[in-house]
Amino acid sequence: MKKQTDKNAVREIKSVKIVGSFISDHFGELWDKSLNDLIKEAVFGVLKNVSKDGDFDPKEIEAVYIANMASGIFNNQLHLNAVVSELFEHFPPSIRVEGACASGSLAMITAQDALNSGRYKTVMVLGVEKMTDFNSNEATKVLSSASDYNFEYGSTFPALYALLAKAHMHKYGTTREQLSAVSVKNHAHALTNSKAHFNKLFTLEQVSQSSMVADPLRLLDCSPVSDGSSAVILSTKDSGKLLDGKTVNYKNKPKIIGMGHAQDFLSLANRKSLTSLNATIKAAKDAFKQAGLTSKDIEVAEVHDCFTIAEILAIEDLGFFKKGTGGQATLDGQTTFGGKVLINPSGGLKACGHPVGATGVKQVAYLAELLENGIKVKTDRSKKIMNFKYALAHNVGGSGATVVVHILEK
Amino acid sequence: MLLNPANYWRKNKNWNNFVGKLGEVVFVTRVEVTSPELQSFLPYCFAIVEMDGERYEFMGEKGIELKKGDKVEFVFRKVSDSNNSSLINYGIKLVLKK
C-alpha cells in the first residue's frame, strides 16, 4: 500500500487479511432453507474454512457485520445483528449494514474501518438474503425500493438499467449481440462454479430472443432472484487460534490492499452521465491509488453484472477497456479465460446468482478462494490450474448511486 | 411503487409545476414486467424527459409508444391500481404531443 502525501490522498490502511471465506452450499431457490438457516450456514461454514487443521475458535471473532437489503420486507426480520450475534457463546457486538445491492461491500468497509481504527483485530462479515418466498413481481417491487421512490415511480430495476443501455447504445453503437455475449460468457463461467444458481449454457440467439423485460433488456440479460449467504473473516493479526488451542498462521492469506467507496445521485435524471457510473470511476480511482496499482495490474475481477449492460459499464469505468469498447471486447472473448482480463469467473450475478445482501461479500470470498487456490481450467488435453496475484471486486447499489471497489493481493 | 397517503400528499404539492407543460424524451424504455400494483398498465413506457433544461423520470400513459426526441405533455393520471378500500393514486404521466 503506497503512502500518499498530497492533501487529497487516500489514507494509508493497515494490512487486512482475509483469513477465512465461505459461500453457502448453493445460490438459488432454496426452498428448504430459511433466512436463519442461511445465516447459520455462513457463520459455521466460515469458521470451518480458516484452517484445514480444525475449526476456528469463535471467541476470536470480536465483532460481526451483517449485510442485508430487505429482510424486513422479505422475512419480517429487522433485528439481524442480534440474530447473528446469538449464534456465538460470547455474543460479539454486531451491526447490520444496508445499502441495496451494495450492502455486502458496505459491510466490508465498515468492518475494515473498525479494524483500521484498532478497535478490533478480528471480525466476521456476513451477507445474506432470502428472497424466493416472494414471487418475481413482488420481488420486483421490493427491489425497486433501491431507486428514488418519489422521483422514479413506475420505474423497475430493469427499466433503469434499460435506460442506461439505451444511452450506451445511442452513444457508442453497443449492440444486442454484445449485450448477449455478457450473458453467454457468464453462464459458461458458472459451469466451473458448483455453487452457482445456474449451470446451463446459452447461445447468443437464446439470450437475444428471450422474453422482453424492459426494452432492450430481456430475461437472460437480468440476474436472478436468489437465496444465499456468504462470509469472510478479516484480521489485522499475524495468527489466530483454533478450537483445540493450535495456532493458525495468516502469513499466506490474501490481503485487501485497496478500497474505494463513492456515491452518486439515486435518480438517473440527475446524473451527469448515463453512459458511465461516475461512482465506479471514483471508487476505482481511490482503490487503485491505495493499492499502488492500475487497471493493467488486475488479472481477474468480479464485477456487478446485475444486468448485461452493467458489466459493460463496469469493465469500461474500471479502466479495463476504453469507453464504448466493452461490448465488443466481450464479444471478442477478451473477458473470459485466455482474454485480456478474466471477468466474473464465478458466473457473476447473472449466472452465479444475486442474493442481494450476500453479493458484495460473496465477490470478495470467491476472489479470496481464487487467490489462495487458483482455478481449474480445461485445456485441449488436460486440466491446469490458473493462479492470480491481484483481483478486484466491484459492487454496485441500485442503478449506481453506491459503488464499492476492493483490490486483493495474494 | 404505491405511494402511501403521507407521501401522496407531499408529492401533490409539485404537480402544478408539470401539468400541461411540454418536455422532450431523452431516453425511453418499454416496461413489460413490473410490480403488482402496476400490472394493469403493462406494457408502459418509462422515460427520462427534459423540460426547461432539467431532467425528470416519468411513466407514459397506458398504451402509448414513445421514442427518443418525441415531444410529450405532462398530464394528471391514475398511477397505480387500487383495491376497493384504498386511495386512488394519481400523479404525473406522459402523453405524446402531436
Side-chain angles (χ1 to χ4, degrees):
Chain A
M1 288 148 285
K2 274 188 177 173
K3 190 173 182 179
Q4 308 293 335
T5 51
D6 64 281
K7 65 178 181 180
N8 295 320
V10 178
R11 278 177 292 172
E12 193 170 17
I13 57 168
K14 290 182 184 179
S15 175
V16 173
K17 297 183 186 77
I18 304 165
V19 304
S21 57
F22 177 82
I23 299 170
S24 59
D25 180 45
H26 203 75
F27 278 5
E29 297 182 14
L30 309 177
W31 299 108
D32 57 328
K33 290 180 184 174
S34 68
L35 176 73
N36 288 24
D37 291 336
L38 290 167
I39 292 171
K40 277 183 202 168
E41 187 181 343
V43 167
F44 296 112
V46 74
L47 291 171
K48 279 188 185 299
N49 280 359
V50 174
S51 170
K52 289 174 183 165
D53 296 333
D55 286 2
F56 196 60
D57 185 350
K59 290 194 180 72
E60 290 275 305
I61 304 297
E62 295 172 272
V64 183
Y65 295 83
I66 181 161
N68 176 267
M69 174 181 172
S71 66
I73 309 173
F74 283 128
N75 321 105
N76 197 33
Q77 176 52 260
L78 275 167
H79 204 168
L80 278 185
N81 60 317
V83 171
V84 67
S85 181
E86 71 180 16
L87 296 174
F88 295 78
E89 282 182 11
H90 64 297
F91 294 93
S94 178
I95 294 173
R96 173 202 167 124
V97 180
E98 177 263 305
C101 311
S103 301
S105 56
L106 290 176
M108 287 285 302
I109 60 171
T110 308
Q112 288 170 255
D113 286 346
L115 292 168
N116 283 316
S117 73
R119 182 172 186 186
Y120 303 121
K121 290 184 176 173
T122 303
V123 302
M124 182 183 289
V125 186
L126 189 153
V128 66
E129 207 79 53
K130 173 67 189 175
M131 308 171 76
T132 63
D133 288 349
F134 276 36
N135 68 37
S136 60
N137 285 335
E138 291 167 337
T140 298
K141 178 181 174 180
V142 176
L143 295 174
S144 72
S145 64
S147 65
D148 192 326
Y149 171 74
N150 282 316
F151 292 98
E152 297 181 308
Y153 70 84
S155 71
T156 62
F157 222 177
L160 298 177
Y161 275 93
L163 291 170
L164 295 173
K166 285 281 185 88
H168 205 272
M169 292 168 127
H170 177 74
K171 184 167 182 181
Y172 298 116
T174 298
T175 65
R176 172 64 261 172
E177 193 180 34
Q178 291 168 359
L179 293 175
S180 297
V182 174
S183 182
V184 168
K185 183 261 299 176
N186 286 348
H187 276 282
H189 285 180
L191 291 179
T192 67
N193 180 3
S194 62
K195 298 188 173 186
H197 189 152
F198 298 116
N199 288 110
K200 182 174 167 57
L201 288 174
F202 288 98
T203 64
L204 291 173
E205 291 71 26
Q206 284 172 318
V207 178
S208 300
Q209 290 169 13
S210 59
S211 59
M212 190 67 83
V213 175
D215 162 44
L217 299 181
R218 294 172 178 271
L219 182 64
L220 289 173
D221 287 303
C222 309
S223 56
V225 169
S226 314
D227 303 327
S229 59
S230 49
V232 292
I233 295 174
L234 305 178
S235 183
T236 50
K237 292 163 60 174
D238 296 325
S239 62
K241 280 184 185 168
L242 300 182
L243 260 181
D244 61 7
K246 286 181 189 165
T247 298
V248 53
N249 194 313
Y250 299 155
K251 187 182 171 187
N252 294 320
K253 297 287 186 182
K255 296 184 283 289
I256 297 172
I257 58 170
M259 63 173 178
H261 169 200
Q263 303 283 158
D264 201 346
F265 287 107
L266 263 178
S267 166
L268 293 185
N270 290 326
R271 304 257 179 97
K272 279 185 182 173
S273 170
L274 293 175
T275 52
S276 286
L277 297 188
N278 283 331
T280 293
I281 294 169
K282 286 183 193 170
K285 187 180 172 189
D286 284 352
F288 281 126
K289 197 171 187 178
Q290 200 166 58
L293 300 176
T294 72
S295 60
K296 288 178 185 169
D297 297 304
I298 303 298
E299 304 156 290
V300 58
E302 286 285 313
V303 307
H304 199 93
D305 60 324
C306 49
F307 300 95
T308 49
I309 184 63
E311 178 167 314
I312 292 173
L313 291 170
I315 61 178
E316 294 173 355
D317 294 339
L318 291 166
F320 297 133
F321 298 95
K322 281 184 186 171
K323 280 310 295 182
T325 66
Q328 188 59 43
T330 306
L331 191 60
D332 291 343
Q334 290 301 308
T335 57
T336 189
F337 296 98
K340 181 181 174 188
V341 54
L342 179 58
I343 302 292
N344 284 328
S346 76
L349 285 61
K350 174 68 204 82
C352 182
H354 185 25
V356 175
T359 289
V361 182
K362 166 250 165 183
Q363 291 176 320
V364 172
Y366 180 86
L367 290 172
E369 288 174 19
L370 203 65
L371 291 176
E372 272 199 281
N373 306 318
I375 188 169
K376 279 183 189 170
V377 186
K378 273 186 186 173
T379 60
D380 290 344
R381 293 183 181 176
S382 60
K383 282 185 177 179
K384 69 169 186 175
I385 304 284
M386 266 180 90
N387 291 299
F388 306 92
K389 187 173 182 189
Y390 298 114
L392 181 148
H394 164 256
N395 190 204
V396 177
S399 58
T402 302
V403 176
V404 177
V405 172
H406 279 98
I407 297 174
L408 280 55
E409 181 182 27
K410 187 171 185 176
Chain B
M1 193 59 140
L2 195 65
L3 298 178
N4 67 31
N7 268 333
Y8 183 73
W9 177 80
R10 291 183 196 113
K11 196 168 172 58
N12 70 20
K13 290 185 290 187
N14 299 321
W15 287 339
N16 61 346
N17 295 330
F18 294 95
V19 174
K21 294 188 177 174
L22 303 180
E24 183 176 320
V25 174
V26 180
F27 289 108
V28 60
T29 180
R30 185 175 135 115
V31 177
E32 303 206 10
V33 177
T34 191
S35 47
E37 69 271 11
L38 295 170
Q39 292 293 317
S40 73
F41 301 108
L42 286 175
Y44 63 83
C45 290
F46 185 79
I48 296 176
V49 187
E50 196 161 298
M51 177 183 73
D52 299 334
E54 296 286 325
R55 287 184 175 187
Y56 305 92
E57 292 168 58
F58 287 113
M59 295 171 70
E61 192 183 41
K62 183 180 179 178
I64 65 161
E65 292 287 338
L66 297 175
K67 61 181 187 304
K68 182 175 172 58
D70 276 346
K71 299 282 184 252
V72 288
E73 182 177 350
F74 300 96
V75 295
F76 192 60
R77 292 287 187 275
K78 190 174 162 186
V79 293
S80 68
D81 296 326
S82 310
N83 62 39
N84 289 338
S85 57
S86 64
L87 285 174
I88 300 171
N89 290 289
Y90 285 85
I92 304 299
K93 281 191 178 178
L94 307 170
V95 295
L96 192 59
K97 184 70 179 175
K98 292 174 183 171

PDB file of all heavy atoms in Angstrom, chain A residues 88-103:
ATOM      1  N   PHE A  88     -23.152 -17.083  18.737  1.00  0.00           N
ATOM      2  CA  PHE A  88     -21.852 -17.196  19.411  1.00  0.00           C
ATOM      3  C   PHE A  88     -22.082 -17.238  20.924  1.00  0.00           C
ATOM      4  O   PHE A  88     -22.919 -16.487  21.446  1.00  0.00           O
ATOM      5  CB  PHE A  88     -20.968 -15.976  19.099  1.00  0.00           C
ATOM      6  CG  PHE A  88     -20.574 -15.849  17.648  1.00  0.00           C
ATOM      7  CD1 PHE A  88     -21.461 -15.352  16.712  1.00  0.00           C
ATOM      8  CD2 PHE A  88     -19.304 -16.201  17.232  1.00  0.00           C
ATOM      9  CE1 PHE A  88     -21.109 -15.214  15.379  1.00  0.00           C
ATOM     10  CE2 PHE A  88     -18.929 -16.073  15.897  1.00  0.00           C
ATOM     11  CZ  PHE A  88     -19.834 -15.572  14.975  1.00  0.00           C
ATOM     12  N   GLU A  89     -21.324 -18.078  21.629  1.00  0.00           N
ATOM     13  CA  GLU A  89     -21.473 -18.156  23.087  1.00  0.00           C
ATOM     14  C   GLU A  89     -21.137 -16.825  23.758  1.00  0.00           C
ATOM     15  O   GLU A  89     -21.683 -16.490  24.804  1.00  0.00           O
ATOM     16  CB  GLU A  89     -20.556 -19.250  23.655  1.00  0.00           C
ATOM     17  CG  GLU A  89     -21.111 -20.644  23.453  1.00  0.00           C
ATOM     18  CD  GLU A  89     -20.218 -21.702  24.071  1.00  0.00           C
ATOM     19  OE1 GLU A  89     -19.288 -21.333  24.826  1.00  0.00           O
ATOM     20  OE2 GLU A  89     -20.458 -22.884  23.789  1.00  0.00           O
ATOM     21  N   HIS A  90     -20.227 -16.049  23.159  1.00  0.00           N
ATOM     22  CA  HIS A  90     -19.778 -14.809  23.803  1.00  0.00           C
ATOM     23  C   HIS A  90     -20.530 -13.566  23.288  1.00  0.00           C
ATOM     24  O   HIS A  90     -20.173 -12.442  23.654  1.00  0.00           O
ATOM     25  CB  HIS A  90     -18.264 -14.626  23.641  1.00  0.00           C
ATOM     26  CG  HIS A  90     -17.810 -14.457  22.212  1.00  0.00           C
ATOM     27  ND1 HIS A  90     -17.963 -15.416  21.244  1.00  0.00           N
ATOM     28  CD2 HIS A  90     -17.184 -13.422  21.585  1.00  0.00           C
ATOM     29  CE1 HIS A  90     -17.457 -14.987  20.106  1.00  0.00           C
ATOM     30  NE2 HIS A  90     -16.981 -13.783  20.286  1.00  0.00           N
ATOM     31  N   PHE A  91     -21.563 -13.739  22.472  1.00  0.00           N
ATOM     32  CA  PHE A  91     -22.385 -12.615  21.976  1.00  0.00           C
ATOM     33  C   PHE A  91     -21.536 -11.410  21.530  1.00  0.00           C
ATOM     34  O   PHE A  91     -21.587 -10.337  22.135  1.00  0.00           O
ATOM     35  CB  PHE A  91     -23.378 -12.156  23.050  1.00  0.00           C
ATOM     36  CG  PHE A  91     -24.428 -13.181  23.384  1.00  0.00           C
ATOM     37  CD1 PHE A  91     -24.236 -14.077  24.422  1.00  0.00           C
ATOM     38  CD2 PHE A  91     -25.602 -13.253  22.640  1.00  0.00           C
ATOM     39  CE1 PHE A  91     -25.190 -15.039  24.723  1.00  0.00           C
ATOM     40  CE2 PHE A  91     -26.562 -14.213  22.930  1.00  0.00           C
ATOM     41  CZ  PHE A  91     -26.369 -15.113  23.967  1.00  0.00           C
ATOM     42  N   PRO A  92     -20.777 -11.560  20.444  1.00  0.00           N
ATOM     43  CA  PRO A  92     -19.952 -10.419  19.994  1.00  0.00           C
ATOM     44  C   PRO A  92     -20.828  -9.262  19.541  1.00  0.00           C
ATOM     45  O   PRO A  92     -21.951  -9.478  19.045  1.00  0.00           O
ATOM     46  CB  PRO A  92     -19.178 -11.002  18.807  1.00  0.00           C
ATOM     47  CG  PRO A  92     -20.010 -12.133  18.326  1.00  0.00           C
ATOM     48  CD  PRO A  92     -20.681 -12.718  19.533  1.00  0.00           C
ATOM     49  N   PRO A  93     -20.337  -8.020  19.675  1.00  0.00           N
ATOM     50  CA  PRO A  93     -21.076  -6.868  19.147  1.00  0.00           C
ATOM     51  C   PRO A  93     -21.349  -7.089  17.657  1.00  0.00           C
ATOM     52  O   PRO A  93     -20.484  -7.588  16.937  1.00  0.00           O
ATOM     53  CB  PRO A  93     -20.124  -5.693  19.338  1.00  0.00           C
ATOM     54  CG  PRO A  93     -19.168  -6.142  20.370  1.00  0.00           C
ATOM     55  CD  PRO A  93     -19.056  -7.628  20.260  1.00  0.00           C
ATOM     56  N   SER A  94     -22.541  -6.716  17.218  1.00  0.00           N
ATOM     57  CA  SER A  94     -22.904  -6.994  15.832  1.00  0.00           C
ATOM     58  C   SER A  94     -23.681  -5.812  15.256  1.00  0.00           C
ATOM     59  O   SER A  94     -24.489  -5.195  15.952  1.00  0.00           O
ATOM     60  CB  SER A  94     -23.756  -8.263  15.784  1.00  0.00           C
ATOM     61  OG  SER A  94     -24.161  -8.544  14.467  1.00  0.00           O
ATOM     62  N   ILE A  95     -23.415  -5.500  14.008  1.00  0.00           N
ATOM     63  CA  ILE A  95     -24.063  -4.363  13.343  1.00  0.00           C
ATOM     64  C   ILE A  95     -24.584  -4.806  11.991  1.00  0.00           C
ATOM     65  O   ILE A  95     -23.880  -5.490  11.237  1.00  0.00           O
ATOM     66  CB  ILE A  95     -23.053  -3.205  13.140  1.00  0.00           C
ATOM     67  CG1 ILE A  95     -22.624  -2.635  14.491  1.00  0.00           C
ATOM     68  CG2 ILE A  95     -23.638  -2.107  12.255  1.00  0.00           C
ATOM     69  CD1 ILE A  95     -21.516  -1.604  14.396  1.00  0.00           C
ATOM     70  N   ARG A  96     -25.825  -4.425  11.685  1.00  0.00           N
ATOM     71  CA  ARG A  96     -26.380  -4.694  10.360  1.00  0.00           C
ATOM     72  C   ARG A  96     -26.097  -3.492   9.452  1.00  0.00           C
ATOM     73  O   ARG A  96     -26.259  -2.335   9.872  1.00  0.00           O
ATOM     74  CB  ARG A  96     -27.892  -4.903  10.457  1.00  0.00           C
ATOM     75  CG  ARG A  96     -28.586  -5.016   9.105  1.00  0.00           C
ATOM     76  CD  ARG A  96     -30.060  -4.683   9.236  1.00  0.00           C
ATOM     77  NE  ARG A  96     -30.645  -4.480   7.935  1.00  0.00           N
ATOM     78  CZ  ARG A  96     -31.691  -5.146   7.467  1.00  0.00           C
ATOM     79  NH1 ARG A  96     -32.265  -6.055   8.220  1.00  0.00           N
ATOM     80  NH2 ARG A  96     -32.159  -4.899   6.275  1.00  0.00           N
ATOM     81  N   VAL A  97     -25.704  -3.754   8.208  1.00  0.00           N
ATOM     82  CA  VAL A  97     -25.429  -2.690   7.235  1.00  0.00           C
ATOM     83  C   VAL A  97     -26.337  -2.891   6.020  1.00  0.00           C
ATOM     84  O   VAL A  97     -26.432  -4.007   5.504  1.00  0.00           O
ATOM     85  CB  VAL A  97     -23.948  -2.710   6.789  1.00  0.00           C
ATOM     86  CG1 VAL A  97     -23.680  -1.596   5.779  1.00  0.00           C
ATOM     87  CG2 VAL A  97     -23.023  -2.586   7.988  1.00  0.00           C
ATOM     88  N   GLU A  98     -26.989  -1.833   5.564  1.00  0.00           N
ATOM     89  CA  GLU A  98     -27.907  -1.911   4.432  1.00  0.00           C
ATOM     90  C   GLU A  98     -27.601  -0.826   3.413  1.00  0.00           C
ATOM     91  O   GLU A  98     -27.483   0.339   3.776  1.00  0.00           O
ATOM     92  CB  GLU A  98     -29.355  -1.790   4.947  1.00  0.00           C
ATOM     93  CG  GLU A  98     -30.414  -1.781   3.867  1.00  0.00           C
ATOM     94  CD  GLU A  98     -30.835  -0.370   3.505  1.00  0.00           C
ATOM     95  OE1 GLU A  98     -31.239   0.364   4.411  1.00  0.00           O
ATOM     96  OE2 GLU A  98     -30.752  -0.006   2.328  1.00  0.00           O
ATOM     97  N   GLY A  99     -27.434  -1.198   2.175  1.00  0.00           N
ATOM     98  CA  GLY A  99     -27.214  -0.237   1.092  1.00  0.00           C
ATOM     99  C   GLY A  99     -27.573  -0.876  -0.230  1.00  0.00           C
ATOM    100  O   GLY A  99     -26.734  -0.981  -1.122  1.00  0.00           O
ATOM    101  N   ALA A 100     -28.825  -1.364  -0.317  1.00  0.00           N
ATOM    102  CA  ALA A 100     -29.325  -2.042  -1.522  1.00  0.00           C
ATOM    103  C   ALA A 100     -28.357  -3.159  -1.922  1.00  0.00           C
ATOM    104  O   ALA A 100     -27.886  -3.898  -1.067  1.00  0.00           O
ATOM    105  CB  ALA A 100     -29.560  -1.020  -2.640  1.00  0.00           C
ATOM    106  N   CYS A 101     -28.040  -3.253  -3.213  1.00  0.00           N
ATOM    107  CA  CYS A 101     -27.208  -4.370  -3.688  1.00  0.00           C
ATOM    108  C   CYS A 101     -25.758  -4.216  -3.256  1.00  0.00           C
ATOM    109  O   CYS A 101     -24.952  -5.145  -3.419  1.00  0.00           O
ATOM    110  CB  CYS A 101     -27.286  -4.471  -5.198  1.00  0.00           C
ATOM    111  SG  CYS A 101     -28.963  -4.425  -5.833  1.00  0.00           S
ATOM    112  N   ALA A 102     -25.382  -3.052  -2.737  1.00  0.00           N
ATOM    113  CA  ALA A 102     -24.016  -2.842  -2.250  1.00  0.00           C
ATOM    114  C   ALA A 102     -23.910  -3.099  -0.747  1.00  0.00           C
ATOM    115  O   ALA A 102     -22.874  -2.796  -0.136  1.00  0.00           O
ATOM    116  CB  ALA A 102     -23.548  -1.426  -2.567  1.00  0.00           C
ATOM    117  N   SER A 103     -24.934  -3.658  -0.142  1.00  0.00           N
ATOM    118  CA  SER A 103     -24.909  -3.892   1.304  1.00  0.00           C
ATOM    119  C   SER A 103     -23.672  -4.696   1.713  1.00  0.00           C
ATOM    120  O   SER A 103     -23.028  -4.400   2.724  1.00  0.00           O
ATOM    121  CB  SER A 103     -26.171  -4.650   1.744  1.00  0.00           C
ATOM    122  OG  SER A 103     -27.331  -3.924   1.422  1.00  0.00           O
TER     123      SER A 103
END
